[in-house]
Amino acid sequence: MSAPASTAAAVSRLHVPSSEELTDRTRRLFEATERTGGFVPNWLRAFALGGADNDRLNAYLFPLLEGSDGRRSTLTAREREIIATVVSVENRCPYCHTLHIDGLARHLGDHHLATRIGLDHREVDELTEREHALAELATTITRAPREVTREHLDHLRELGLDDAGIYEAIQIASVINATNRISIALAVLPDPETFDAQNAALNS
Amino acid sequence: MSAPASTAAAVSRLHVPSSEELTDRTRRLFEATERTGGFVPNWLRAFALGGADNDRLNAYLFPLLEGSDGRRSTLTAREREIIATVVSVENRCPYCHTLHIDGLARHLGDHHLATRIGLDHREVDELTEREHALAELATTITRAPREVTREHLDHLRELGLDDAGIYEAIQIASVINATNRISIALAVLPDPETFDAQNAALNS
Amino acid sequence: MSAPASTAAAVSRLHVPSSEELTDRTRRLFEATERTGGFVPNWLRAFALGGADNDRLNAYLFPLLEGSDGRRSTLTAREREIIATVVSVENRCPYCHTLHIDGLARHLGDHHLATRIGLDHREVDELTEREHALAELATTITRAPREVTREHLDHLRELGLDDAGIYEAIQIASVINATNRISIALAVLPDPETFDAQNAALNS
Amino acid sequence: MSAPASTAAAVSRLHVPSSEELTDRTRRLFEATERTGGFVPNWLRAFALGGADNDRLNAYLFPLLEGSDGRRSTLTAREREIIATVVSVENRCPYCHTLHIDGLARHLGDHHLATRIGLDHREVDELTEREHALAELATTITRAPREVTREHLDHLRELGLDDAGIYEAIQIASVINATNRISIALAVLPDPETFDAQNAALNS
Amino acid sequence: MSAPASTAAAVSRLHVPSSEELTDRTRRLFEATERTGGFVPNWLRAFALGGADNDRLNAYLFPLLEGSDGRRSTLTAREREIIATVVSVENRCPYCHTLHIDGLARHLGDHHLATRIGLDHREVDELTEREHALAELATTITRAPREVTREHLDHLRELGLDDAGIYEAIQIASVINATNRISIALAVLPDPETFDAQNAALNS
Amino acid sequence: MSAPASTAAAVSRLHVPSSEELTDRTRRLFEATERTGGFVPNWLRAFALGGADNDRLNAYLFPLLEGSDGRRSTLTAREREIIATVVSVENRCPYCHTLHIDGLARHLGDHHLATRIGLDHREVDELTEREHALAELATTITRAPREVTREHLDHLRELGLDDAGIYEAIQIASVINATNRISIALAVLPDPETFDAQNAALNS
C-alpha cells in the first residue's frame, strides 16, 4: 500500500497563517497543544486567521468546554462532550464530526460507544436520562431552535439541573453551532493524526 | 388607551440575575449601557446568567461586532450590521430580529431601509454588490452551511475582500447563529423601549 | 441625515397602473383609502394590475377581514388580525409582515405586543387560549396544511367556536396565503409611511 | 364485487349545509352545476359553509379560472388548467389533485397526458416552452414563493406574456394555494363520480 | 378529439433494451406478463437494462410483494398493496403513483377508495387500525426513517403482528423506496393502458 | 479502563434469529463471512429475520455491490464503494455509516481519505471527475430523487459511462437507500469489531 493520497489536501479554503503571522497568544497555544497532544489540530491552524478576535473566541471556548481556568461547571465533562458531539454530527460538519467523536471516545475510553452516541444517541441505553435530555436539547437547538419549549427546560430541572446548568448546556450547544459553521465554511481538513491507529492496523 | 398589556411579560425562561448576583464586569457593562442607551437591553440581562463565561463571550462579541477595543475591521460597520441582521431574521429569533433591525436602522438613519434589508436584502437595490454578496454568504451559513462553496469565497475576493475580511464575515455570521440560538432558547423578551416612538405616535 | 435612499425603490416588479388605467371601482377605493389612512398602500397599487379580477378579489377580502359590508363575523376583530399577522410572518412576506403587524398594533394600541405576537405568538401569555389555538391553526395551514387534524378542529369547538367560526378562520388563513404569495412574487415595496414615526424620532 | 365501502365517508370535517341552509346564490350555482355536470362536487358543498363570504369567493374564482363573465384572459384555458393542476399536486391536496387532473384531462381529451402533467410537468415534452415556464412559476409560488426572482418574470416576458398575463398566472397560482388549503383543512372527500368510468371497467 | 399527443413520449431516459437484448428470464417474464395483463408495463421494459442484476431484483421483489413462489406472508395482500402505494405517493414517483394506485384499485375493486388511500390514508375510516399503523410506518420509513421509534414497532406488536410480520412491512416499504428512486431517476413513462377506461369514457 | 459499557447493547429492535432458526443458505453465508472477516456483521444477523426473502435480497445485493458471481461491472469497485458510502452518510444511518466508511477505507487503504469522502466528497480533490459525478448522482437520488435531471445523466455519458453503467450506479444508490432504511428502522448496532484498532490504541 503506497502513501495515502490525501496528505497534500488543503487545511482550509482560506489563508492559513504561517508561524510568523500568529499572535503571541496563539503561538503559545500551539506550542502547548503540540506538547500535550502531539500535533496542532487543523481547526486551530485555520481559525488563527482571526488573529486577536480568535484569541478572544478561544478565551471563551476553552473554559466553557474544558472546565479549565478555575471555572466551576454544573455539567459533567462527559455531558459537555456529548453536547458538542451531537451538535457537530447534526450539522454534518466533517471536521467537527471527527474531532468531537474522537474527543468523546478518549473521554469514555471507547470509540464504539462514542460513535454510537454521535450517530444516534437515542438508541444508546448506556446514557443517563439526564444525558439523553441534554442531547435532545442540543439537537433541537441545532436543527430547529424555535422548537425548544418551556417543557424542555422544565424537564431538565426535574432531572436535577439548576438554571445555571441549563444555561451552560444552551451556551455550549449554541457556540458549537458557531464553530461548526466556521469549520464548514472553511472546509477544515479532518486531522490525519486521528486516523493513525486505524491506518496502522490496516497496513500491518 | 391604557398601559400596554405586555409590561409584565417575563424577560427570559430562565432565572434573570438580580443586581447583586452580577459579576463586577457585567455590572459595569450594565451601567455603561444604561448611560449611553437609556436602558439595559433584555439580552444582556438574560445572558448574565452565564456569569464569568458570559463576560468572556461579551469580550469576544463586542470588539467583533462594534469594532471597539482598538480592533481594525476589514468590513465596514454597515456591512457588519447587515450580516447580523440577515442572520437574525433567517433564524426567526424574535428578540434578535427586533434588536438588529433597530440597530441597523440607527446606523442607516432609516427604519424603512433597515426593515427592507432585514426582510429581503435581495430586493434592496440600494445595497452594494459587496453587501449583497456578504448578505448571501451570511444567509447560506445560517440556513445550510454545507452549501457554502469555494465559489462564494472567490466571489468575495473578486469584490475586494482579503481572506481576513472574509473570515471576519464568517465569524460574525457564525457567532450571531450562536447568540440567536441562546435568545430563542431563552425566549428573551423584545425590549419594550424599542417601540416607544411608534407607541407614542399611536397614542397621541 | 439626508433623505432616505429608499424613496426611489420600485413599488412592484410588474407594471403599476397609472391613475387613468384604474377601473372605476379601484379609483373610488383609492380615494376612500387616502381619505381615511392618508395614503394608498403599495399592495393596493400593485394588485390593481388585475383590473376587474382584482376588484372581485377585494370584494371578497374586505368583508372577510374587516367585517364590513353588513357581514356578521364569528371571530373578533383582534382574532382576525392575529390570524393575518401570523400567516404573513410565517410566509416571510416582507410587505405583509410589515402591513399586518402594523395593523395589529393599531388595533391593540401597542406595537410591542403586536410584534411579539407576529414573531412568536406561543410566548405571548397575554393571548387567550382561543387566540393561541387560532394562531396555531393558521400557522399549520400555512406551513404544512396536511398536518391539520380533526383534533385541531375539535379543540376549537371546545373553546366555543361553532363550525362557521372555524371555517371563517380557515378562510382567512388560506386567503392570506394567497395575498402573501402575490405580494412576494411582485416584491411589493413595504410602505414608507409605516415608518414615519420611527424615522421622525430617529432624526429628531 | 359488492358496493364500494367508501360511499358513507364524510364529505367534510365541518358541517355541510343542508339545502335549506344555502344562500340563494349558492342554491342557483348548485342547480346549474348539477344540470351541466350531473352532480354537485364536494368542494362546492363543503365550502358553502362560508355563506355570503363563499359566494364572494366564487364570484372571484370562476371568472378567473374559467374565463366566464365577459372576462378577457391573457392565458389560454389550457394554461390556466395546467397552473391549477400543478399547484394542487404540489400541495398534495387529495381533493384538488383529483379534481384538477380530471378537469385538465377533460380539457385535453386525454387522462394519460393530464396525469403526466400533474405528476411531473418537466418530463412532458408535449408542453410548450411557455407552458413549462408557467408551470415552474406556479410550482415555485407554491413551494417556496421567496424563490421567485425577477428572472422568472423576465423569462415569461420573453415568451410573449405581458405584465397583465403574468399577473393573471400569479393570481391563479396563489388563489389555488388558498382553495387547496381550505380543502385540506376540511379533508374534502374526492368526488366518487370522478371514478365511475374506471370502476365500471373494473367491475365489468 | 384527435389521437392523444403523448403516444410518442419516451419510456425511459436511458436505453430501453430491444427484444433481442433481453435475458432469457426477462423475456419469459415479459411473455407471461403480456399474457396475463395484456401489455408489458413500462417499468419492466426500462428496468430490463439491468440484465442479470435485474432478474435477481425481480426474484426478490415478486415473492415479497405478491406472495407468490410458495412464500408465506404474514401481511395480507391488501396490506402489502397499501404499503407500496403510500410509499410511492410519498416519494412523488409519477410512474409508481399511477401503477400502485391502479394495483390497489384492482385489489379493492374500487378506484375511489384506492385513490383516497394513496393520497391520504389518515382520512380513510374504511381502513383497519392495523392498516393505518402499517401505512404510518411506511410513510415514516420513506420520509424520515430516523423518526421510526421502538414505540412504532411495539404498537404493531399490540395490533397482532409478530416480528417477522413487522420485518416484512419494513422490507416492502424499503424496497419500494429503491424501485421508486430507480423509476424517478429514469423518468419512466406511466403506462398509457392504465388510462384506457377513462379515455374511452371521455371520448365516447 | 474497565470493559466498554456497550457490549450488552441489543443488535436489533426486532428478534435476532438464533443459529437454529437460520435458513441453510444464511447459515453457509455466516460461516463464510466469519472465515473471511473474523465475525458476522450485525446487519447480516438482524436481516436474517427475513428468512428466504432475505436470501433473495442477498442474492441481488452481493453481486451488485461486490462484482462477484461472474458479474461484469461497468463501474470500478472504488466507485461502487463510494456510492454506497455517500448514500449511507446522507441517510444518517448509524450502522451503514460505520460499515461503508470502513469498507471504503479497506479498499483505499486509508481511513482518513474514506472518512473525508463519506462526510463531504465535494471537498476531496483526490477523487476523479467521474467519481464526483457519481457521488453527486447518488446523493441526489437519496435526498431528493425528483431533482435528478437528464443533464445529470448526460454528464455521466460525457465522462465515459454507457447507459448500463449509469443504470448500475442508479441501482446501487437506490438499493442502499433500501438497506439503509431497514437498518435504521431496526436500529442495527454498529459492529464493535470495527473499533478494535482504535480502542486498542486508546487503552495501550
Side-chain angles (χ1 to χ4, degrees), chain A residues 13-15 47 53 56 59-60 69 71 92 141-142 145-146 148 157 163 167 174 178 181-182 184, chain B residues 13-15 47 53 56 59-60 69 71 92 141-142 145-146 148 157 163 167 174 178 181-182 184:
Chain A
R13 284 168 174 167
L14 295 180
H15 173 66
F47 281 34
D53 279 316
R56 287 186 284 258
Y60 169 58
D69 202 21
R71 189 177 173 284
R92 294 203 48 186
I141 283 181
T142 301
R146 297 178 75 246
V148 175
R157 284 182 184 117
D163 278 24
Y167 190 70
S174 297
R181 278 172 168 77
I182 299 177
I184 293 170
Chain B
R13 284 169 174 164
L14 295 180
H15 173 66
F47 281 35
D53 279 314
R56 286 186 283 258
Y60 169 57
D69 201 22
R71 190 176 172 282
R92 297 206 42 189
I141 282 180
T142 301
R146 298 178 75 244
V148 175
R157 285 183 183 114
D163 279 24
Y167 191 70
S174 297
R181 277 173 169 76
I182 299 176
I184 293 170

Side-chain angles (χ1 to χ4, degrees), chain E residues 13-15 47 53 56 59-60 69 71 92 141-142 145-146 148 157 163 167 174 178 181-182 184, chain F residues 13-15 47 53 56 59-60 69 71 92 141-142 145-146 148 157 163 167 174 178 181-182 184:
Chain E
R13 286 168 172 165
L14 294 180
H15 173 67
F47 281 35
D53 279 315
R56 286 185 284 256
Y60 169 57
D69 201 21
R71 191 179 171 280
R92 295 202 47 186
I141 283 180
T142 301
R146 296 177 76 245
V148 175
R157 285 182 183 116
D163 279 25
Y167 190 70
S174 298
R181 279 173 167 77
I182 299 176
I184 293 171
Chain F
R13 284 168 172 165
L14 295 180
H15 173 67
F47 281 35
D53 279 315
R56 287 186 282 257
Y60 169 56
D69 200 24
R71 192 178 169 281
R92 295 204 46 188
I141 283 180
T142 301
R146 297 177 75 246
V148 175
R157 285 182 183 117
D163 278 25
Y167 190 71
S174 298
R181 279 172 167 77
I182 299 175
I184 293 171

Side-chain angles (χ1 to χ4, degrees), chain F residues 116-169:
Chain F
R116 289 171 55 213
I117 293 170
L119 294 179
D120 191 359
H121 75 89
R122 295 187 188 185
E123 293 305 314
V124 181
D125 291 338
E126 292 92 334
L127 297 186
T128 66
E129 192 179 349
R130 187 169 123 162
E131 288 168 339
H132 276 299
L134 287 166
E136 276 306 303
L137 177 74
T139 305
T140 306
I141 283 180
T142 301
R143 187 179 45 73
R146 297 177 75 246
E147 293 178 14
V148 175
T149 62
R150 301 178 202 188
E151 285 70 30
H152 277 104
L153 308 187
D154 286 341
H155 182 50
L156 288 166
R157 285 182 183 117
E158 284 159 19
L159 293 170
L161 283 165
D162 62 8
D163 278 25
I166 298 173
Y167 190 71
E168 186 181 340

